[in-house]
Amino acid sequence: RPDPHPGCEYNIVVNSAVPRDAADEIATSLQGRGYNAFLVPVEKDGQTEWMVKVGPYQTASEANAAQAEMNRKYRSAYPPSQ
């Protein structure tokens, strides 16, 4: 599925290069918490993996504030990608 917000500068990358089932689980969980989470396909080593993003935000300041909130509330639930 294509990025639903092409050209938008202010999206938060929650996790990148994960299998589709893991990406779906993360996005669904974030959506349940009120975030506009979506998936973007990424080619890695000849295979498609998935990037989970949240956004769009109108300004960098809004995106930074949302990312800080997500880190504070959910960091342990969504560890950084490898």
Side-chain angles (χ1 to χ4, degrees):
R1 179 172 115 192
D3 185 336
H5 309 290
C8 181
E9 287 184 61
Y10 306 109
N11 290 304
I12 299 166
V13 176
V14 176
N15 207 321
S16 62
V18 295
R20 179 66 188 248
D21 58 340
D24 281 336
E25 186 176 322
I26 293 167
T28 298
S29 179
L30 287 167
Q31 290 165 350
R33 289 176 164 86
Y35 293 98
N36 183 33
F38 59 97
L39 306 181
V40 178
V42 177
E43 290 299 318
K44 183 177 178 185
D45 298 326
Q47 298 205 6
T48 301
E49 294 193 343
W50 297 87
M51 179 182 299
V52 181
K53 290 186 174 186
V54 171
Y57 294 94
Q58 295 296 316
T59 66
S61 179
E62 288 178 8
N64 289 335
Q67 185 172 24
E69 175 186 278
M70 290 175 64
N71 284 340
R72 188 174 61 253
K73 290 182 175 180
Y74 309 116
R75 183 87 173 156
S76 63
Y78 306 105
S81 19
Q82 301 299 323

